[in-house]
Amino acid sequence: MCPDCEDFARTVVLLGQLALYAGTSDADETFVDAVGVSLAASLPEPPPGIFPPGYDPDDGPDYPGEPY
């Protein structure tokens, strides 16, 4: 596995584990908020092949309240 692929996969797994922890009754919400933002910000570029060819993350439906 390429180094970027490994980092991406590890970060996604950590985000998933954090989501599971956040769903527990005794989760520390301050911890979840701080770590979740940090993990999401640290995601490297997705490895090739994750998204289909020609995928544009900025292309999509208009959301309520956003200008056209």
Side-chain angles (χ1 to χ4, degrees):
M1 185 180 289
C2 67
D4 289 339
C5 298
E6 188 177 332
D7 289 345
F8 184 81
R10 183 181 304 118
T11 304
V12 169
V13 168
L14 288 171
L15 281 166
Q17 290 174 336
L18 183 65
L20 290 174
Y21 169 71
T24 63
S25 61
D26 59 343
D28 181 345
E29 291 183 30
T30 304
F31 173 80
V32 172
D33 290 343
V35 173
V37 171
S38 298
L39 281 173
S42 72
L43 272 170
E45 285 292 317
I50 294 288
F51 298 112
Y55 174 78
D56 181 4
D58 295 324
D59 185 28
D62 292 327
Y63 293 96
E66 288 187 359
Y68 297 100

